Structures are given as C-alpha cells and as structure tokens.
C-alpha cells in the first residue's frame, strides 16, 4: 500500500451518552430523505458563485441563499462519496468538537495497522510516525463532521436519480451532496468512469429535504440540504491524492450493547475500491479490538453499493429501500427516549428481522 493511502484513523471507546447516539442514529436514518428530493425551478444563469465548501455552507447556514436561486460551484471535485451529515463540519460547534478531539492523541511506535498517519494542521507530529487518536479524542472528530456515505441510484417521481458529492477541498465530509437526473449523469459519467473523480463547474440549486419525512423526531444542527445539478462544465480529472473520504461507525459488544464505541477511517477512493477494502478491514479489526469480540454489532454502515459488515442494526441499503427492523428501531427509541414518526414508519417501510443481542446473564463473551 502506498504511503499516505490513509491520512487518519481512529476510534473511541466511550460510555453510553444519549446525545451522541441520537446524532449517530439520525445520520444513519436520515439518509432515506434523499428519496424525497425534488428539483426546484431556476434559471440557467448563476445568481451566486462559490469557490469553497466553507463559502457555500456559511451562506446556506446563514440563509443567504434560497431554493429559487441558481448557484455555481466553481472548480469543485466530484466524487462518489457524499457527507453523511451535510454542512455539520462547517458549524461552530463542530469545529470546537474537532479541536477538542485533536488534543487527545496517543502515539505508538508499533501499531496493529498499516500505513502512515497524518493530520492536516497538527504540527506536533511531523515525522510520519503512525498515530492513533486516543479514545477520548475520537468523539470530537466524528461529532465534528467526519463521515461519508455512498448511495445507489433511485427512481424518484418516475425519474432515475443519482447521488454524488462535490468538494472544493477534495475531502468528502467537508463537501456537498449532489443530485443528478439521468440525462445530466450520462454526460458526467463519460468523464467520471474509471477515474478517482473530476473537477468541474457545477450549476444547480439547493433543495431542502423534508423534515416531516424523518423516521425519528430530533433537532438537527442544520436542516438537510442537497444540491440539485442542472448542468456542469468539465475541467480536469482529479488525482488520487486529491480525493479523501472518511467513513465512520458506532459499534458495541453483543453482550453489552449499551456501551457504544466509535471509529472512523480516512482513505483515498479509487475506481476498484482497493483502498476502501483496506479501510473496512481496519475498521473491522478496530471494532474487534475495542469491543473484545468478533461478533460486534454495528449501529449503521455507510455504503449502499456493497455490504462490509456481518451484523448491522440499520443497513444503509435497507434504509434507502424502505426496509427496517421495527423491533430494533423501537428498542433504540425506548433506550434513547426518541419519538418515532409512526406515519413515516407505516407508510414507507416494511418490517425485517433485526440483529440478535446476547443475554449477558446467561452467556460469556468469546
């Protein structure tokens, strides 16, 4: 594996805290809102242009843009991966979480993982020694906006619809979810297929995904926004080193499901998913180490295209296609004191069997 294929890895073993788990659960469940996206009517001439992720999200968060305006994302990378919690990275509270998290770094001479760790802006470690954030630090990074998902195409309002991500920095969790109808996507794929990503000027408008379609009631940091693409102008092919995605999970030992841990791993996406496979291997190994079990329960995964874990409470593929374990959802609702939107649950989801939790009083962990 090349040096710097992974720029950061880490996990957190942490006690059960409601707000953290509600946020993680919401990010998993709210992905299904993309099934309700609609295109807004707007002109082809941009009213506003943005050169960076931060410029865009600062304007959105401050409500300086609305759904009627035509926007241009100037020279943004387009990637398969989109942020799991769009815009959160650019909020004040997320920045504070990350800054707090980066103060807790454990340094290891010998590690169980392969690759070299490197944190942008962290001048304390310059010698490329592998490092792993200490358990008390990972919470800040994930709650600070780390995490990405990959979605399959959908038929929405009798139109085949595709989902990608745009990012000025090349980092997926800092970027913007993109929605394409089939005619625009067919033009895009001519440049995109077989490459790490492309750089393009992207024209479209924002759409706010309907909160009333949420499975659970909670107050998000910001509403769920996406960017509905009307057109694009190809500029360049992205290099492998220019695109970075982070994938995040929460997990628990099946004998003690109420003690949750978190982990994330960053990787350079490639057309054959080789780096993704290595990242998933690392996450699996990390979950086994920190849960002290090879039967770890994952709360939710991040990839609708492929399944990477054997025991997942809420699989992204299921959530995006109207399948859920009602028993598991209601258990989370009871444990976390969450109100479930029964109308959405009944109208949009069919029941499937959930994961098995071991009775600790009658069994011993492996």
């Amino acid at each position: 594996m090349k040096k710097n294929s992974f720029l950061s890895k880490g996990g957190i073993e942490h006690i059960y805290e409601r707000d953290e788990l509600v946020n993680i659960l919401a990010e998993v469940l709210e992905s299904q809102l993309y099934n309700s996206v609609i295109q807004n009517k707007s002109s082809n001439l941009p009213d506003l242009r943005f050169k960076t992720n931060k410029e865009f999200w600062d304007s959105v968060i401050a409500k300086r843009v609305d759904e009627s305006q035509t926007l241009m994302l100037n020279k943004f990378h387009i990637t398969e991966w989109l942020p799991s919690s769009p815009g959160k990275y650019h909020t004040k509270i997320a920045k504070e979480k990350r800054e707090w998290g980066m103060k807790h770094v454990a340094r290891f001479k010998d590690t169980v993982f392969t690759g070299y760790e490197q944190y942008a802006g962290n001048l304390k470690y310059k010698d490329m020694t592998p490092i792993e954030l200490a358990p008390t630090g990972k919470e800040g990074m994930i709650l600070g906006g780390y995490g990405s998902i990959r979605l399959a195409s959908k038929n929405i309002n009798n139109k085949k619809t595709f989902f990608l991500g745009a990012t000025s920095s090349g980092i997926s969790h800092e970027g913007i979810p993109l929605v394409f109808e089939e005619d625009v996507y067919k033009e895009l794929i001519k440049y995109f297929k077989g490459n790490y990503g492309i750089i393009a000027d992207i024209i479209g408008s924002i759409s706010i995904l309907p909160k009333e379609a949420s499975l659970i009631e909670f107050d998000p940091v910001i509403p769920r926004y996406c960017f509905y693409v009307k057109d694009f102008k190809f500029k360049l092919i992205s290099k492998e080193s220019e695109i970075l995605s982070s994938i995040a999970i929460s997990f628990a030992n099946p004998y003690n499901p109420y003690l949750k841990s978190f982990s994330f791993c960053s990787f350079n996406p490639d057309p054959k998913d080789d780096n993704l496979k290595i990242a998933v291997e690392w996450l699996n190994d990390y979950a086994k180490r920190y849960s002290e079990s090879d039967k770890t329960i994952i709360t939710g995964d991040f990839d609708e295209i492929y399944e990477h874990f054997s025991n997942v409470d809420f699989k992204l593929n299921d959530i995006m296609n109207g399948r859920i374990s009602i028993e598991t959802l209601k258990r989370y609702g009871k444990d976390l004191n969450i109100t479930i939107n029964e109308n959405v649950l009944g109208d949009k989801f069919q029941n499937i069997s959930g994961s098995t939790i071991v009775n600790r009083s009658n069994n011993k962990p492996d």
Side-chain angles (χ1 to χ4, degrees):
M1 186 178 68
K2 301 173 184 176
K3 286 186 178 181
N4 295 331
S5 288
F6 295 101
L7 298 192
S8 63
K9 300 175 183 173
I12 173 171
E13 186 177 37
H14 201 71
I15 62 172
Y16 186 108
E17 291 188 10
R18 178 188 180 274
D19 290 347
E20 294 173 3
L21 297 181
V22 170
N23 272 278
I24 294 295
L25 180 61
E27 289 181 5
V28 173
L29 299 179
E30 293 299 274
S31 298
Q32 60 89 21
L33 292 181
Y34 287 111
N35 290 321
S36 302
V37 67
I38 59 173
Q39 183 178 19
N40 299 300
K41 294 182 179 180
S42 58
S43 70
N44 292 322
L45 297 176
D47 300 304
L48 296 169
R49 302 169 191 266
F50 300 96
K51 294 183 178 180
T52 68
N53 298 318
K54 181 172 172 48
E55 285 179 357
F56 174 85
W57 284 114
D58 283 352
S59 294
V60 169
I61 293 168
K63 297 183 179 179
R64 293 194 294 267
V65 297
D66 61 52
E67 293 176 287
S68 68
Q69 293 174 297
T70 300
L71 311 176
M72 174 183 282
L73 306 177
N74 185 236
K75 294 182 180 178
F76 274 58
H77 294 274
I78 299 178
T79 171
E80 277 191 302
W81 295 85
L82 48 152
S84 55
S85 187
K88 179 192 283 188
Y89 183 91
H90 302 280
T91 61
K92 181 180 178 181
I93 190 171
K95 182 180 179 181
E96 292 172 351
K97 293 286 187 182
R98 295 193 305 273
E99 289 175 348
W100 176 84
M102 285 304 299
K103 294 178 181 178
H104 302 274
V105 179
R107 190 176 187 184
F108 303 92
K109 292 182 179 179
D110 298 307
T111 63
V112 299
F113 55 84
T114 304
Y116 293 90
E117 313 314 330
Q118 176 180 314
Y119 290 93
N122 182 14
L123 302 179
K124 188 175 181 180
Y125 302 101
K126 298 180 180 179
D127 58 1
M128 301 304 291
T129 299
I131 60 175
E132 182 175 278
L133 286 181
T136 52
K138 291 306 153 290
E139 172 186 3
M141 304 308 289
I142 295 173
L143 294 180
Y146 275 57
S148 309
I149 59 174
R150 180 166 64 173
L151 300 179
S153 62
K154 293 285 176 293
N155 284 313
I156 302 175
N157 297 324
N158 297 317
K159 296 179 181 179
K160 195 165 187 180
T161 306
F162 300 81
F163 305 93
L164 297 172
T167 170
S168 61
S169 64
I171 300 173
S172 61
H173 59 254
E174 296 179 11
I176 305 159
L178 299 180
V179 181
F180 291 83
E181 291 187 3
E182 189 170 14
D183 56 342
V184 182
Y185 183 81
K186 283 182 176 179
E187 290 300 312
L188 176 82
I189 203 66
K190 294 176 183 178
Y191 304 100
F192 193 87
K193 190 174 182 179
N195 290 310
Y196 302 103
I198 68 168
I199 300 173
D201 291 340
I202 310 166
I203 299 173
S205 59
I206 60 169
S207 288
I208 303 176
L209 303 183
K211 185 178 178 181
E212 60 271 16
S214 298
L215 264 172
I216 60 175
E217 293 184 9
F218 79 107
D219 294 320
V221 176
I222 59 174
R224 178 77 61 154
Y225 289 90
C226 62
F227 192 96
Y228 212 111
V229 179
K230 296 186 68 175
D231 199 3
F232 73 96
K233 184 177 181 180
F234 170 79
K235 296 292 185 180
L236 295 168
I237 298 296
S238 303
K239 300 176 182 177
E240 179 181 14
S241 60
E242 293 177 325
I243 305 295
L244 182 72
S245 290
S246 64
I247 47 179
I249 58 172
S250 67
F251 60 91
N253 185 306
Y255 301 92
N256 192 2
Y258 306 110
L259 180 62
K260 296 288 185 180
S261 298
F262 304 97
S263 186
F264 72 86
C265 185
S266 297
F267 68 101
N268 302 114
D270 61 278
K272 295 183 179 180
D273 281 344
D274 290 336
N275 289 339
L276 171 62
K277 292 173 185 175
I278 297 171
V280 170
E281 287 176 5
W282 187 89
L283 283 174
N284 268 311
D285 177 75
Y286 192 90
K288 289 178 182 179
R289 285 191 282 131
Y290 274 77
S291 68
E292 298 182 340
S293 172
D294 59 358
K295 299 177 181 178
T296 305
I297 298 175
I298 307 294
T299 300
D301 55 11
F302 42 76
D303 192 353
E304 190 184 357
I305 309 299
Y306 298 110
E307 292 187 8
H308 302 287
F309 306 102
S310 58
N311 195 4
V312 182
D313 279 342
F314 302 105
K315 294 180 181 179
L316 186 59
N317 182 272
D318 287 337
I319 293 296
M320 292 301 297
N321 290 283
R323 301 185 295 264
I324 199 167
S325 167
I326 294 177
E327 177 187 1
T328 302
L329 179 62
K330 290 190 173 181
R331 171 168 54 82
Y332 272 81
K334 180 180 179 181
D335 294 340
L336 297 175
N337 192 26
I338 298 171
T339 300
I340 298 170
N341 191 331
E342 297 287 350
N343 290 331
V344 173
L345 183 62
D347 291 343
K348 294 188 175 183
F349 289 87
Q350 64 181 45
N351 189 29
I352 58 175
S353 60
S355 61
T356 301
I357 294 179
V358 179
N359 185 334
R360 190 169 188 145
S361 63
N362 298 325
N363 297 275
K364 295 180 179 180
D366 296 337

